[in-house]
Amino acid sequence: MHRVVVLALEGVYPFELGIPQRVFGTADGRYETVTCTVDGRPVRTSADFTIAADHGPEALATADTVVIPPYESAPSSVRLPAPVAQALALIPAGARVVSICTGAFTLAAAGLLDGRRATTHWALAARFRDAFPQVDLDAGVLFIDDGDVLTSAGAASGVDVCLHLVRKDHGSEVANRVARRCVVPPWRDGGQAQYIEQPVPEPSAAGTAATREWVLGRLDEPLTLTDLAGHARMSLRTFARRFRDEVGMSPGRWLIQQRVTRARELLESSDLPIEQIAGRVGFATPASLRQHLHAAIGVSPQAYRRTFQATGDR
């Protein structure tokens, strides 16, 4: 069983602290998730309560994956307190390390992000760059998977990166089942933009959610922006504006993303030929599917299928 160890540091944010247990703990026993502190003692949270963990730092030495949630003093952690540095030194060389939000400051202060791409909350990007110029920071994405080190942005992207790991470890069927149980979207691309200063649509305004749901049942059809706007009973200009306000991207980009997502699911869970998969998700040719899949994740359909057919039985 894959062991996930969550390190709760003084001032930890309660919501983010609970994300790993909620996601990995819903994967039908494929993971064991435990929480520890640097000295085995209770820690104060950023809220009005204290938590007691059942484990001390020795738990880190048994980890396959370590998760560092954000905590109040993280953005000032240019140099780690000795107990934190000593605890992190217990992490096995082959373990994955994951940060949620400003937990990336801790990984950077420990030297774990030197020379790597990483992300953190957009509002603290300037402070991060000043403190850690040796890290290649991209504060415009939800999460970054750099192999054995993964970093994520704000609170909700902690859910995204944990679901990404379930998908990476066990395939989309397991990850989708976990997402349904947690009532969250099954997949958001790590390269998707953080919702920085995104305006909230007026509650009284007609939305595009019904049209998006309608589209997902018709991905095999040659849908156009005119078709989408017609279903929403809006002008092209109004629909495009409201869609971008709600989703954070253009209808065309979103449609391609949904087609790629569905193609990935079929590549993972079926033996359908590439030509049939392309048709089922609305790409005119197999070449178009290959082009868009490669643009999204950098591999061919055949390579993607081989990878997930090998991991899906774990």
Side-chain angles (χ1 to χ4, degrees):
M1 186 182 297
H2 189 104
R3 195 171 212 223
V4 178
V5 179
V6 185
L7 178 59
L9 295 169
E10 190 72 14
V12 67
Y13 290 9
F15 176 80
E16 289 87 336
L17 176 64
I19 288 173
Q21 173 60 48
R22 188 69 183 92
V23 175
F24 295 118
T26 309
D28 297 324
R30 290 175 171 84
Y31 301 89
E32 176 192 19
T33 306
V34 301
T35 304
C36 73
T37 63
V38 296
D39 55 10
R41 299 175 182 174
V43 296
R44 178 184 55 83
T45 71
S46 63
D48 61 343
F49 57 88
T50 296
I51 63 162
D54 288 343
H55 302 274
E58 67 281 353
L60 293 167
T62 68
D64 297 301
T65 295
V66 174
V67 182
I68 312 292
Y71 54 100
E72 285 183 317
S73 62
S76 60
S77 299
V78 178
R79 292 186 178 179
L80 295 178
V84 177
Q86 291 164 6
L88 293 179
L90 296 174
I91 299 173
R96 290 187 302 211
V97 183
V98 182
S99 68
I100 299 177
C101 194
T102 55
F105 281 80
T106 302
L107 299 189
L112 297 175
L113 299 181
D114 289 358
R116 292 179 179 263
R117 286 186 67 233
T119 192
T120 190
H121 196 287
W122 62 268
L124 294 166
R127 183 181 299 184
F128 188 98
R129 288 192 179 97
D130 289 342
F132 306 109
Q134 70 276 22
V135 180
D136 181 11
L137 184 72
D138 183 351
V141 297
L142 295 178
F143 64 85
I144 290 176
D145 181 344
D146 197 35
D148 58 345
V149 178
L150 297 92
T151 52
S152 60
S157 62
V159 177
D160 294 322
V161 74
C162 289
L163 279 173
H164 167 74
L165 286 176
V166 175
R167 183 186 183 98
K168 186 175 182 178
D169 291 344
H170 300 290
S172 64
E173 290 188 13
V174 174
N176 289 347
R177 188 158 60 245
V178 170
R180 284 194 297 272
R181 291 171 179 171
C182 295
V183 197
V184 295
W187 179 72
R188 291 198 298 168
D189 182 9
Q192 181 174 327
Q194 292 186 33
Y195 294 108
I196 301 171
E197 301 291 342
Q198 183 68 34
V200 178
E202 291 294 329
S204 59
T208 64
T211 296
R212 279 179 272 136
E213 187 68 24
W214 176 79
V215 167
L216 292 178
R218 294 166 174 79
L219 289 176
D220 59 324
E221 300 178 11
L223 298 170
T224 65
L225 179 59
T226 300
D227 296 327
L228 273 62
H231 180 271
R233 298 182 180 180
M234 300 179 191
S235 68
L236 291 175
R237 184 174 181 180
T238 298
F239 178 80
R241 175 175 54 81
R242 289 185 179 167
F243 193 100
R244 185 177 288 276
D245 286 346
E246 293 175 16
V247 181
M249 65 182 73
S250 70
R253 181 182 171 192
W254 177 84
L255 181 56
I256 289 173
Q257 188 180 88
Q258 303 314 306
R259 285 175 165 155
V260 169
T261 298
R262 181 59 181 148
R264 290 172 68 170
E265 293 173 354
L266 290 172
L267 287 167
E268 294 172 23
S269 62
S270 78
D271 294 321
L272 290 172
I274 304 303
E275 293 76 8
Q276 289 188 29
I277 291 177
R280 287 195 180 193
V281 302
F283 288 123
T285 64
S288 181
L289 168 58
R290 293 186 185 96
Q291 174 188 348
H292 288 295
L293 185 68
H294 192 276
I297 57 176
V299 298
S300 69
Q302 292 88 346
Y304 187 83
R305 168 171 274 167
R306 282 195 301 269
T307 297
F308 275 92
Q309 285 182 342
T311 61
D313 294 332
R314 291 179 190 172

